[in-house]
Amino acid sequence: MPHLALYTFGVLKSPLTDPAPLTRELYDIGEAVYRRISRHPGYLAHAEAADGDRGALFEADWGAWGDFAVPTWYGKGRTVETTALAATLSLWTDLRSAFDAIYTGLHREALHRRDDWFERTGHANYVFWWVTDGVTPTWRDGVSRLEHVHDHGSAPHAFTVHDSFAPDGTPTRTPTRSNAKAAGSWTSGRLGR
């Protein structure tokens, strides 16, 4: 049975190591969100550095998730001191589970504050795609598919909730589409914009 991969990417207003209260708040909320999402029905796994250090994204050993990669439009630093991004790569059983995890509870609350922490880049900031059972998506897969959504829109190869596809490649109506529109999110290929 196929699984759903999700890659998210955002450019932060300041580096992860910035000691400002707003940066610390984002980091703390992010940790709490990860804990909750990892217990959500339909969640399977997410990319984690072998040593658990999320600040050393580019140098970390990500195991089967591959070398860390970012979209071509990311123009900020790549060292521990200068990295100003937030990226996730995860696996889900289905689109409904991922949607429900993201648009409920603490993660939904964090989305309402996204403009406090993230720059508006004009680029897509999330993408979904189906993977064969037993396949671990890589960071490079996520970047490639995110760039595809930005450049060409949704397709069976890379899609958004607004224009989603079933594992067989046929367009599908997301069961929660009306919820997405009501939340003002998951439209135009950009999470929460």
Side-chain angles (χ1 to χ4, degrees), residues 135-165:
V135 170
T136 302
T138 67
W139 291 107
R140 291 190 195 281
D141 293 338
V143 167
S144 171
R145 290 164 197 266
L146 184 72
E147 290 175 341
H148 180 276
V149 163
H150 174 74
D151 294 343
H152 308 289
S154 287
H157 169 76
F159 56 91
T160 66
V161 167
H162 186 68
D163 297 304
S164 57
F165 292 84

Short mmCIF file of all heavy atoms in Angstrom, two decimals, residues 135-165:
data_model
loop_
_atom_site.label_atom_id
_atom_site.label_comp_id
_atom_site.label_asym_id
_atom_site.label_seq_id
_atom_site.Cartn_x
_atom_site.Cartn_y
_atom_site.Cartn_z
N VAL A 135 9.50 2.46 0.80
CA VAL A 135 10.40 3.48 0.26
C VAL A 135 10.46 4.66 1.22
O VAL A 135 9.43 5.15 1.68
CB VAL A 135 9.94 3.95 -1.14
CG1 VAL A 135 10.72 5.16 -1.60
CG2 VAL A 135 10.05 2.82 -2.13
N THR A 136 11.66 5.11 1.52
CA THR A 136 11.85 6.30 2.35
C THR A 136 12.14 7.47 1.42
O THR A 136 13.11 7.45 0.67
CB THR A 136 13.03 6.11 3.32
OG1 THR A 136 12.79 4.97 4.13
CG2 THR A 136 13.22 7.33 4.20
N PRO A 137 11.30 8.50 1.45
CA PRO A 137 11.57 9.67 0.61
C PRO A 137 12.83 10.38 1.10
O PRO A 137 13.18 10.29 2.28
CB PRO A 137 10.33 10.54 0.80
CG PRO A 137 9.79 10.15 2.13
CD PRO A 137 10.14 8.69 2.32
N THR A 138 13.50 11.07 0.20
CA THR A 138 14.71 11.80 0.58
C THR A 138 14.44 13.30 0.54
O THR A 138 13.47 13.77 -0.06
CB THR A 138 15.87 11.48 -0.37
OG1 THR A 138 15.57 12.00 -1.67
CG2 THR A 138 16.15 9.98 -0.44
N TRP A 139 15.34 14.04 1.19
CA TRP A 139 15.26 15.50 1.15
C TRP A 139 15.30 15.99 -0.30
O TRP A 139 14.58 16.91 -0.68
CB TRP A 139 16.41 16.12 1.94
CG TRP A 139 16.30 15.92 3.41
CD1 TRP A 139 17.05 15.09 4.20
CD2 TRP A 139 15.38 16.57 4.31
NE1 TRP A 139 16.66 15.18 5.51
CE2 TRP A 139 15.64 16.10 5.62
CE3 TRP A 139 14.38 17.52 4.14
CZ2 TRP A 139 14.94 16.53 6.74
CZ3 TRP A 139 13.68 17.96 5.25
CH2 TRP A 139 13.96 17.47 6.53
N ARG A 140 16.14 15.37 -1.12
CA ARG A 140 16.24 15.79 -2.53
C ARG A 140 14.92 15.53 -3.26
O ARG A 140 14.52 16.33 -4.12
CB ARG A 140 17.39 15.09 -3.22
CG ARG A 140 18.74 15.56 -2.71
CD ARG A 140 19.89 15.04 -3.58
NE ARG A 140 21.16 15.19 -2.94
CZ ARG A 140 21.85 16.32 -2.86
NH1 ARG A 140 21.35 17.40 -3.40
NH2 ARG A 140 23.02 16.37 -2.26
N ASP A 141 14.25 14.41 -2.94
CA ASP A 141 12.93 14.16 -3.53
C ASP A 141 11.98 15.30 -3.19
O ASP A 141 11.26 15.81 -4.05
CB ASP A 141 12.31 12.87 -2.97
CG ASP A 141 13.03 11.60 -3.36
OD1 ASP A 141 13.76 11.59 -4.37
OD2 ASP A 141 12.87 10.60 -2.62
N GLY A 142 11.98 15.68 -1.92
CA GLY A 142 11.08 16.75 -1.48
C GLY A 142 11.35 18.06 -2.18
O GLY A 142 10.43 18.74 -2.64
N VAL A 143 12.63 18.43 -2.28
CA VAL A 143 13.00 19.68 -2.95
C VAL A 143 12.58 19.64 -4.41
O VAL A 143 11.98 20.59 -4.93
CB VAL A 143 14.52 19.94 -2.81
CG1 VAL A 143 14.96 21.05 -3.75
CG2 VAL A 143 14.86 20.27 -1.37
N SER A 144 12.88 18.55 -5.10
CA SER A 144 12.53 18.42 -6.51
C SER A 144 11.03 18.57 -6.73
O SER A 144 10.57 19.27 -7.64
CB SER A 144 13.01 17.06 -7.02
OG SER A 144 12.52 16.79 -8.30
N ARG A 145 10.25 17.94 -5.87
CA ARG A 145 8.80 17.99 -6.03
C ARG A 145 8.23 19.36 -5.63
O ARG A 145 7.28 19.84 -6.24
CB ARG A 145 8.17 16.85 -5.27
CG ARG A 145 8.49 15.52 -5.98
CD ARG A 145 8.24 14.33 -5.10
NE ARG A 145 8.90 13.15 -5.60
CZ ARG A 145 8.33 12.24 -6.38
NH1 ARG A 145 7.08 12.38 -6.78
NH2 ARG A 145 9.00 11.18 -6.78
N LEU A 146 8.82 19.98 -4.63
CA LEU A 146 8.38 21.32 -4.24
C LEU A 146 8.65 22.31 -5.38
O LEU A 146 7.80 23.14 -5.71
CB LEU A 146 9.10 21.78 -2.98
CG LEU A 146 8.66 23.13 -2.42
CD1 LEU A 146 7.27 23.01 -1.80
CD2 LEU A 146 9.65 23.63 -1.39
N GLU A 147 9.81 22.21 -5.99
CA GLU A 147 10.13 23.08 -7.11
C GLU A 147 9.19 22.81 -8.29
O GLU A 147 8.79 23.73 -9.00
CB GLU A 147 11.60 22.94 -7.49
CG GLU A 147 12.51 23.54 -6.42
CD GLU A 147 13.99 23.33 -6.65
OE1 GLU A 147 14.37 22.43 -7.45
OE2 GLU A 147 14.78 24.06 -6.03
N HIS A 148 8.81 21.54 -8.48
CA HIS A 148 7.87 21.20 -9.54
C HIS A 148 6.52 21.87 -9.30
O HIS A 148 5.93 22.47 -10.21
CB HIS A 148 7.68 19.68 -9.65
CG HIS A 148 6.73 19.30 -10.73
ND1 HIS A 148 5.36 19.29 -10.55
CD2 HIS A 148 6.94 18.94 -12.01
CE1 HIS A 148 4.77 18.94 -11.67
NE2 HIS A 148 5.71 18.72 -12.58
N VAL A 149 6.01 21.79 -8.08
CA VAL A 149 4.72 22.43 -7.76
C VAL A 149 4.81 23.94 -7.99
O VAL A 149 3.89 24.55 -8.54
CB VAL A 149 4.29 22.11 -6.31
CG1 VAL A 149 3.21 23.07 -5.82
CG2 VAL A 149 3.78 20.69 -6.21
N HIS A 150 5.91 24.53 -7.58
CA HIS A 150 6.06 25.98 -7.78
C HIS A 150 6.10 26.34 -9.26
O HIS A 150 5.44 27.29 -9.70
CB HIS A 150 7.34 26.48 -7.10
CG HIS A 150 7.59 27.92 -7.40
ND1 HIS A 150 6.86 28.94 -6.82
CD2 HIS A 150 8.46 28.53 -8.25
CE1 HIS A 150 7.28 30.09 -7.29
NE2 HIS A 150 8.25 29.87 -8.15
N ASP A 151 6.85 25.57 -10.04
CA ASP A 151 7.05 25.90 -11.45
C ASP A 151 5.89 25.49 -12.35
O ASP A 151 5.61 26.15 -13.35
CB ASP A 151 8.34 25.25 -11.97
CG ASP A 151 9.59 25.82 -11.32
OD1 ASP A 151 9.52 26.92 -10.72
OD2 ASP A 151 10.64 25.14 -11.39
N HIS A 152 5.21 24.36 -12.01
CA HIS A 152 4.24 23.78 -12.93
C HIS A 152 2.86 23.52 -12.32
O HIS A 152 1.94 23.13 -13.04
CB HIS A 152 4.77 22.46 -13.50
CG HIS A 152 6.13 22.58 -14.08
ND1 HIS A 152 6.39 23.25 -15.26
CD2 HIS A 152 7.33 22.14 -13.64
CE1 HIS A 152 7.69 23.20 -15.52
NE2 HIS A 152 8.28 22.53 -14.55
N GLY A 153 2.73 23.67 -11.02
CA GLY A 153 1.46 23.35 -10.38
C GLY A 153 1.37 21.88 -10.01
O GLY A 153 2.30 21.10 -10.22
N SER A 154 0.23 21.51 -9.47
CA SER A 154 0.03 20.12 -9.02
C SER A 154 -0.08 19.15 -10.17
O SER A 154 -0.64 19.46 -11.23
CB SER A 154 -1.24 20.04 -8.18
OG SER A 154 -1.07 20.61 -6.91
N ALA A 155 0.45 17.97 -9.94
CA ALA A 155 0.39 16.84 -10.87
C ALA A 155 0.47 15.58 -10.01
O ALA A 155 0.82 15.66 -8.84
CB ALA A 155 1.56 16.90 -11.85
N PRO A 156 0.18 14.41 -10.56
CA PRO A 156 0.27 13.20 -9.75
C PRO A 156 1.65 13.02 -9.10
O PRO A 156 1.76 12.43 -8.03
CB PRO A 156 -0.01 12.08 -10.75
CG PRO A 156 -0.86 12.72 -11.79
CD PRO A 156 -0.34 14.14 -11.91
N HIS A 157 2.67 13.56 -9.72
CA HIS A 157 4.06 13.45 -9.26
C HIS A 157 4.33 14.32 -8.02
O HIS A 157 5.18 13.98 -7.20
CB HIS A 157 4.96 13.89 -10.42
CG HIS A 157 6.39 14.10 -10.08
ND1 HIS A 157 7.26 13.06 -9.89
CD2 HIS A 157 7.11 15.23 -9.89
CE1 HIS A 157 8.46 13.54 -9.61
NE2 HIS A 157 8.39 14.86 -9.60
N ALA A 158 3.60 15.43 -7.89
CA ALA A 158 3.83 16.41 -6.82
C ALA A 158 2.59 17.29 -6.73
O ALA A 158 2.24 17.94 -7.70
CB ALA A 158 5.06 17.25 -7.14
N PHE A 159 1.96 17.31 -5.55
CA PHE A 159 0.68 18.01 -5.49
C PHE A 159 0.44 18.67 -4.14
O PHE A 159 1.15 18.44 -3.17
CB PHE A 159 -0.47 17.06 -5.82
CG PHE A 159 -0.54 15.82 -4.97
CD1 PHE A 159 -1.29 15.79 -3.80
CD2 PHE A 159 0.15 14.68 -5.34
CE1 PHE A 159 -1.35 14.66 -3.02
CE2 PHE A 159 0.09 13.53 -4.57
CZ PHE A 159 -0.67 13.52 -3.40
N THR A 160 -0.61 19.50 -4.13
CA THR A 160 -1.05 20.17 -2.92
C THR A 160 -2.39 19.57 -2.50
O THR A 160 -3.01 18.81 -3.25
CB THR A 160 -1.23 21.68 -3.16
OG1 THR A 160 -2.30 21.87 -4.08
CG2 THR A 160 0.05 22.32 -3.68
N VAL A 161 -2.87 19.95 -1.35
CA VAL A 161 -4.18 19.48 -0.91
C VAL A 161 -5.26 20.01 -1.83
O VAL A 161 -6.20 19.31 -2.17
CB VAL A 161 -4.45 19.90 0.55
CG1 VAL A 161 -5.90 19.71 0.93
CG2 VAL A 161 -3.58 19.11 1.49
N HIS A 162 -5.12 21.25 -2.24
CA HIS A 162 -6.12 21.89 -3.09
C HIS A 162 -6.31 21.15 -4.41
O HIS A 162 -7.43 21.05 -4.93
CB HIS A 162 -5.73 23.34 -3.33
CG HIS A 162 -6.75 24.13 -4.06
ND1 HIS A 162 -7.97 24.47 -3.51
CD2 HIS A 162 -6.75 24.65 -5.31
CE1 HIS A 162 -8.66 25.17 -4.40
NE2 HIS A 162 -7.95 25.29 -5.48
N ASP A 163 -5.23 20.65 -4.97
CA ASP A 163 -5.26 19.89 -6.23
C ASP A 163 -4.56 18.57 -6.00
O ASP A 163 -3.41 18.37 -6.42
CB ASP A 163 -4.56 20.68 -7.35
CG ASP A 163 -5.27 21.99 -7.65
OD1 ASP A 163 -6.47 21.94 -7.96
OD2 ASP A 163 -4.62 23.05 -7.56
N SER A 164 -5.24 17.64 -5.34
CA SER A 164 -4.61 16.40 -4.93
C SER A 164 -4.91 15.24 -5.87
O SER A 164 -5.83 15.31 -6.70
CB SER A 164 -5.03 16.05 -3.50
OG SER A 164 -6.43 15.97 -3.41
N PHE A 165 -4.13 14.19 -5.71
CA PHE A 165 -4.24 13.01 -6.55
C PHE A 165 -4.22 11.75 -5.69
O PHE A 165 -3.55 11.70 -4.67
CB PHE A 165 -3.08 12.96 -7.55
CG PHE A 165 -3.15 14.06 -8.57
CD1 PHE A 165 -2.65 15.32 -8.29
CD2 PHE A 165 -3.73 13.84 -9.80
CE1 PHE A 165 -2.72 16.34 -9.21
CE2 PHE A 165 -3.82 14.86 -10.74
CZ PHE A 165 -3.31 16.11 -10.44
#
